[in-house]
Amino acid sequence: MELGQIVFSKAGRDSGKYYAVVELVGEDRVKIADGNTRRIKKAKLKNIKHLQSNGDVLAKIAEKLKNGTQVFDAELYSALRFYNENQE
């Protein structure tokens, strides 16, 4: 797992949706957000075994997260909108 990586939630109340990794917490946990129902300020702590990576990385958002620049919920939501709309 890496910052800005797009993941699919396989378990929990948030299952069935795409999220982006916004923080790495240890080897087996990450914080995820989608910019809409799960904001960046209140990112969900999730075990990586409950997530499935599709291999895509949001490059601009990953760069901002690595540099400590503020990432707005709107830009995260618009970046993930394509994935979540095609899921439904």
Side-chain angles (χ1 to χ4, degrees):
M1 294 283 165
E2 61 180 286
L3 291 176
Q5 186 170 10
I6 298 173
V7 293
F8 182 76
S9 178
K10 300 187 297 185
R13 291 182 181 183
D14 55 4
S15 63
K17 288 184 67 183
Y18 284 95
Y19 294 89
V21 175
V22 295
E23 187 179 339
L24 304 174
V25 184
E27 292 184 17
D28 61 342
R29 294 190 181 265
V30 294
K31 286 191 177 184
I32 59 171
D34 68 354
N36 184 23
T37 56
R38 183 59 69 175
R39 306 281 181 167
I40 294 173
K41 294 286 184 191
K42 290 193 170 191
K44 181 167 177 88
L45 184 65
K46 195 94 168 152
N47 193 323
I48 61 170
K49 70 180 180 180
H50 297 150
L51 299 171
Q52 178 181 355
S53 172
N54 70 348
D56 292 344
V57 176
L58 301 171
K60 290 180 182 178
I61 292 174
E63 190 65 34
K64 284 185 171 187
L65 290 168
K66 290 175 186 172
N67 292 336
T69 309
Q70 183 178 9
V71 178
F72 295 101
D73 290 313
E75 59 184 322
L76 183 59
Y77 176 70
S78 65
L80 289 172
R81 187 173 47 201
F82 169 77
Y83 294 95
N84 284 319
E85 285 178 354
N86 288 337
Q87 177 63 25
E88 298 171 356

